[in-house]
Amino acid sequence: MQIYKCFFCDEMKIEEVDVLVIGAGPSGSVSSAYLNSQNVKVKVVEKAKFPRPVIGESLIPRVMDHFEEVGLIPAIKAAGFEKKWGARFIRNEETCVFDFSDKFGEGWDWTWQVPRADFDLVIANEVQRQGVDIEFESEVVDVQFEGSDSITTIQDKEGQQKQIKAKFIIDSSGYGRVLPNLMNLDAPSTITGNSSIFTHTLDINRPEGEEGTMITFDIIETKVWFWVIPFSNGVSSLGVVGPTEYIESLSKEGDSEAAIRKVIASSKHYKERFIDNKFLFKPVMLKNYSCSVRQLYGKGYALTGNSSGFLDPVFSSGVAFATESGILSAKLITRQLNGEEVDWEKEYAEYIKKGVDVFSTYVSEWYTGNLQKIFFHQPADAEVKRKICAVLAGYVWNEDNPFVKKHHRAIKGMAYTIDLLANKE
């Protein structure tokens, strides 16, 4: 780790806290709420003004454990977001539905589909109500370490600077990736080459009942898929994911609206529902979004959520890893501040990497087509489906599940068996 000597201006205002959290999204909110509940003096700095648009609108049940632990469930329920009971995958006339209540092992059997601008504001407001100090519209411009102590310089929207002295920093800055950028921690991602385009639309043709509320992944080609995420406010999120060269080829002029309309036109299931809809904002293109880091922690800091890396949106794992790493880092820091020895490599890095490794296998095998082969195979193996459903629900640390413990071999093995059966027929 690079060590910075600490030189700071005596005239600049200095605030002292136990823990500085960078970012007020789900990871920062959950970690700061936990720390506050343990009487740790915590401060959150957030570059944006909430509400602000952000991607990652489909949650998975594992996040509910974290929200429950820090007392956020009542506030989220009161906001009336769309409940998510599972997920549907469609490929031409084939359909595969996963029901979170019919999964292997214990755990929550539902969660939410959320416009993140509204959702993040709800949880940030609740965390503030609990007593956490969040300073919005303040950007981290410098971090210097002396041992595990740090001096962070932040700048507000008026250009005024001040410094925060902390015993520990949690970087929950998401795509802002504050510490990875400042400390040169970036590393190549094992999952590369994909991009996406997304937008929102007022879902004026939304059908009644389950069809109008279920999140769906519509497979256009093996490596290209279209998402539809309905929200309770009548808006739906639409997005397409595929290899970067494919996404770029949708519009030679870089017209993101024309590009996503081409994808809608190619969807047998959703063309009628969305082809003439107006978009609520110009479709946003994210290129080569997968990222990673050389290390998840160092002396005096931990990286959580998207600041530590991002896989792919196909199984909606982003917020779950954000809250998992957020609350775990907060627990370890609390122990450390109380004088306990913490093995950050084993208790944090190895643990988080284990879950990421499982999801990485599922993402990779989705794009090879092996996982799709299992999803759409008929007749479906109910027990296999239950075990895969537990992974999709985010319970990727439960090694009682062979599709977690043997994830490297399980998907390939099942796909191979399906091929053998097909050849016999």
Side-chain angles (χ1 to χ4, degrees):
M1 176 186 126
Q2 186 174 358
I3 303 295
Y4 298 87
K5 288 186 177 180
C6 180
F7 300 104
F8 54 89
C9 175
D10 291 333
E11 296 178 0
M12 192 177 294
K13 180 181 177 183
I14 299 177
E15 182 177 352
E16 292 194 26
V17 297
D18 293 321
V19 182
L20 172 65
V21 177
I22 306 173
S27 183
S29 289
V30 166
S31 61
S32 61
Y34 180 85
L35 290 165
N36 182 66
S37 73
Q38 301 302 305
N39 297 315
V40 173
K41 188 176 182 182
V42 58
K43 181 182 181 70
V44 181
V45 294
E46 167 58 52
K47 180 179 178 180
K49 178 182 179 180
F50 281 17
R52 50 79 172 99
V54 67
I55 199 63
E57 301 151 327
S58 170
L59 309 182
I60 56 178
R62 177 60 179 158
V63 302
M64 306 294 278
D65 297 291
H66 311 136
F67 293 151
E68 182 178 42
E69 187 165 359
V70 296
L72 296 179
I73 295 286
I76 303 173
K77 277 185 176 179
F81 296 115
E82 188 69 55
K83 284 190 175 181
K84 175 182 173 182
W85 303 98
R88 176 174 63 179
F89 298 83
I90 58 178
R91 184 177 66 183
N92 297 319
E93 306 305 320
E94 300 172 290
T95 300
C96 173
V97 177
F98 286 95
D99 179 349
F100 291 140
S101 68
D102 186 21
K103 67 179 180 303
F104 178 88
E106 299 298 319
W108 283 76
D109 56 16
W110 64 276
T111 182
W112 285 287
Q113 295 158 195
V114 296
R116 281 287 301 280
D118 300 334
F119 179 79
D120 287 11
L121 179 62
V122 166
I123 61 175
N125 283 345
E126 174 58 21
V127 167
Q128 286 179 301
R129 191 198 65 77
Q130 292 178 6
V132 173
D133 176 14
I134 302 180
E135 184 169 329
F136 290 99
E137 298 183 274
S138 289
E139 180 180 6
V140 172
V141 295
D142 183 57
V143 179
Q144 299 181 4
F145 285 95
E146 285 189 343
S148 58
D149 289 342
S150 60
I151 295 286
T152 299
T153 304
I154 65 172
Q155 181 170 292
D156 65 22
K157 62 181 179 179
E158 276 80 37
Q160 298 297 310
Q161 293 190 351
K162 70 176 180 180
Q163 294 179 317
I164 301 172
K165 183 176 182 180
K167 299 172 184 174
F168 212 100
I169 296 175
I170 297 178
D171 185 353
S172 299
S173 59
Y175 288 116
R177 299 172 62 75
V178 171
L179 290 186
N181 289 335
L182 288 175
M183 301 174 67
N184 193 28
L185 297 175
D186 284 325
S189 173
T190 57
I191 298 174
T192 59
N194 276 2
S195 296
S196 69
I197 305 172
F198 67 93
T199 188
H200 287 176
T201 184
L202 187 61
D203 199 348
I204 55 176
N205 300 313
R206 180 180 293 182
E208 295 293 325
E210 186 178 70
E211 177 62 35
T213 61
M214 180 173 285
I215 178 174
T216 300
F217 302 83
D218 184 2
I219 302 164
I220 308 300
E221 300 175 10
T222 300
K223 294 185 177 183
V224 180
W225 53 278
F226 175 61
W227 82 63
V228 176
I229 307 174
F231 304 136
S232 59
N233 60 4
V235 170
S236 284
S237 173
L238 310 179
V240 58
V241 174
T244 298
E245 59 271 22
Y246 173 88
I247 296 296
E248 291 177 337
S249 74
L250 290 171
S251 174
K252 299 297 184 184
E253 294 76 32
D255 184 342
S256 59
E257 178 168 344
I260 200 168
R261 288 200 186 278
K262 282 185 182 178
V263 175
I264 293 171
S266 69
S267 170
K268 295 179 181 178
H269 199 84
Y270 286 110
K271 179 179 178 180
E272 246 182 74
R273 181 164 159 184
F274 295 117
I275 193 61
D276 295 322
N277 281 28
K278 292 182 179 179
F279 300 141
L280 299 182
F281 56 84
K282 180 178 173 60
V284 176
M285 183 180 295
L286 292 177
K287 290 188 178 181
N288 300 313
Y289 45 67
S290 296
C291 57
S292 189
V293 290
R294 291 186 286 107
Q295 58 196 59
L296 293 177
Y297 69 96
K299 197 170 184 181
Y301 72 87
L303 309 179
T304 72
N306 289 347
S307 66
S308 65
F310 180 72
L311 295 176
D312 190 273
V314 65
F315 299 126
S316 308
S317 62
V319 174
F321 279 123
T323 55
E324 187 84 39
S325 55
I327 199 166
L328 178 58
S329 64
K331 289 177 178 179
L332 296 177
I333 291 167
T334 300
R335 285 172 46 200
Q336 190 166 296
L337 291 174
N338 288 332
E340 293 184 40
E341 289 291 326
V342 173
D343 186 339
W344 278 90
E345 182 63 25
K346 182 177 181 180
E347 298 182 66
Y348 188 68
E350 290 182 10
Y351 175 84
I352 295 298
K353 287 176 182 176
K354 184 177 290 187
V356 170
D357 193 32
V358 174
F359 252 115
S360 294
T361 294
Y362 279 73
V363 170
S364 296
E365 295 295 354
W366 171 265
Y367 288 110
T368 66
N370 281 338
L371 198 56
Q372 296 177 38
K373 196 177 294 181
I374 297 170
F375 280 16
F376 297 108
H377 177 68
Q378 293 297 326
D381 185 318
E383 193 56 30
V384 166
K385 192 172 180 181
R386 291 181 67 244
K387 289 168 181 173
I388 291 176
C389 186
V391 172
L392 301 186
Y395 293 99
V396 290
W397 290 273
N398 179 11
E399 293 197 340
D400 290 336
N401 183 350
F403 277 74
V404 170
K405 188 171 185 178
K406 301 177 180 179
H407 61 96
H408 289 298
R409 301 192 301 272
I411 302 300
K412 284 185 173 70
M414 280 298 303
Y416 179 72
T417 300
I418 290 170
D419 284 339
L420 286 179
L421 292 173
N423 290 333
K424 284 182 181 180
E425 293 174 359

